[in-house]
Amino acid sequence: MRRKKRLRRTSTTVALLAASVTAALAAGCTGQHGPADDGRGELRTPTPRHTAAVRPVLAVKIDNAPAARPQTGLDAADVVYAEQVEGGLSRLMAVYATTLPQAVGPVRSARESDLELLRQFDNPTLAFSGAQHKLLPLIDQAPLNPEPPSKATGAYFRGSGKPAPHNLYLRPARLMHSAPGPAALTTGFRYGAAPAGGRRETARTVHYPAAGFTFTWSPRLHRYLVAMDGTPTVTTDGKRVAPATVVVQYVKVHKSAFHDVLGNNTPYTETVGSGTASVLRDGRVYDVDWQRGKATDGTDFTTKDGKPVNFAKGQVWVVLAQAS
């Protein structure tokens, strides 16, 4: 009986949060079964860069503290990056190219690592709540279009379902009229048939010092069900977040020159360089190598014999984990 009551309370909370976000919206949406149905991953090879006809992606920094969950619009992202922040917690960066949801959030602040990560896209639009004052000049100098609330006041609103600062949401249609399309995804990711080999693995957990991600393969959905800190990840409208491919990318993480208001050092996650990764798709895992020669390059994932690794069509999660 206690378990049933908890489930009813969880369902009620999600429904109330969805209602509060929906009621605050004034803009419309632009626009699961199998991964091939959602329009993502149509490109087989990287798109040539600096093409005038290609419009920029929208990248949104999303709060991932327990008080910020469930998030809104996370299931519509083409790529979701998970990174470590102060205190060993995690934060997400959602990248939108094929679909713009009606709302995204909660939106939180940017980090220095984001600037390097975003260089792989051509002049991306970055939506974020703000940043440490010493970092703001670097954001202004970076080759991106920053759109915090101070600049795009009409694009943001405060929801009523969560306390501040976990209640800031973005209306993407206020920043761009339509989704730029899959050609804007200059990540270097390849989509298609699975590589040979691999081994069966139906679940993978990645630990940060104070956060955790678990990805469990669902044969029925042909996707991975996400759980964070042991709790199933759902959006405010009750949808399970379920990527088709999960990449655990092992990277160097070290101290930066920045600290939060409590004096905690901000980790810097290096995404340029090389290393190893685990690619999860179709209920199997592939041990691969990754390489990104310079910041303006996408990331190449290859098998141990140097062959490119294809991802499954659909949403991709990239969890940036510290290399041992």
Side-chain angles (χ1 to χ4, degrees):
M1 286 297 293
R2 290 179 180 176
R3 177 175 175 83
K4 290 181 179 178
K5 290 180 180 178
R6 285 197 300 270
L7 289 174
R8 283 198 294 270
R9 285 198 296 269
T10 300
S11 299
T12 301
T13 300
V14 170
L16 289 172
L17 286 169
S20 69
V21 171
T22 301
L25 287 171
C29 182
T30 63
Q32 94 184 142
H33 178 59
D37 295 335
D38 61 7
R40 304 186 185 102
E42 294 299 325
L43 297 180
R44 294 295 189 273
T45 57
T47 303
R49 302 183 64 82
H50 308 299
T51 302
V54 176
R55 293 182 292 117
V57 298
L58 171 64
V60 185
K61 286 307 299 288
I62 297 182
D63 195 349
N64 199 34
R69 303 171 190 157
Q71 291 102 341
T72 299
L74 191 60
D75 57 321
D78 293 276
V79 184
V80 177
Y81 291 97
E83 62 181 344
Q84 184 179 325
V85 293
E86 299 84 5
L89 295 171
S90 64
R91 190 156 292 179
L92 307 177
M93 180 186 288
V95 178
Y96 299 87
T98 59
T99 302
L100 294 183
Q102 193 174 11
V104 178
V107 181
R108 286 303 297 272
S109 55
R111 295 294 184 272
E112 185 184 10
S113 302
D114 301 334
L115 305 184
E116 180 176 277
L117 184 62
L118 286 171
R119 287 291 304 279
Q120 65 191 299
F121 301 104
D122 291 328
N123 194 35
T125 295
L126 174 61
F128 62 109
S129 65
Q132 187 189 104
H133 71 279
K134 292 182 179 179
L135 180 58
L136 289 173
L138 299 181
I139 295 175
D140 290 338
Q141 296 164 16
L144 54 81
N145 178 30
E147 293 284 2
S150 59
K151 180 181 176 182
T153 307
Y156 292 88
F157 68 94
R158 291 282 180 182
S160 60
K162 301 185 181 82
H166 311 293
N167 62 351
L168 180 66
Y169 294 86
L170 171 74
R171 297 180 177 96
R174 300 288 181 91
L175 296 183
M176 51 183 61
H177 294 300
S178 61
L185 293 170
T186 51
T187 55
F189 297 170
R190 302 169 60 99
Y191 301 85
R199 63 184 183 277
R200 179 177 169 79
E201 183 173 301
T202 57
R204 171 68 67 97
T205 297
V206 182
H207 293 287
Y208 287 177
F213 299 87
T214 298
F215 303 92
T216 303
W217 175 247
S218 169
R220 181 179 66 85
L221 296 176
H222 211 73
R223 289 173 178 264
Y224 289 88
L225 299 176
V226 182
M228 294 189 287
D229 302 328
T231 302
T233 302
V234 297
T235 59
T236 47
D237 55 3
K239 293 180 181 178
R240 285 298 301 266
V241 177
T245 304
V246 177
V247 180
V248 183
Q249 184 177 345
Y250 296 100
V251 297
K252 295 178 181 178
V253 181
H254 56 79
K255 291 183 178 180
S256 74
F258 299 93
H259 297 77
D260 67 8
V261 293
L262 300 177
N264 297 312
N265 185 266
T266 301
Y268 187 92
T269 300
E270 295 187 14
T271 53
V272 172
S274 60
T276 61
S278 296
V279 174
L280 285 72
R281 58 165 295 175
D282 307 322
R284 301 183 70 81
V285 62
Y286 301 86
D287 298 320
V288 306
D289 296 317
W290 69 267
Q291 183 169 353
R292 185 180 173 201
K294 57 182 183 297
T296 53
D297 291 341
T299 305
D300 294 323
F301 294 91
T302 56
T303 60
K304 298 303 179 181
D305 58 0
K307 295 180 180 178
V309 174
N310 291 330
F311 296 169
K313 291 183 180 180
Q315 187 179 77
V316 178
W317 273 59
V318 181
V319 182
L320 301 169
Q322 184 160 12
S324 56

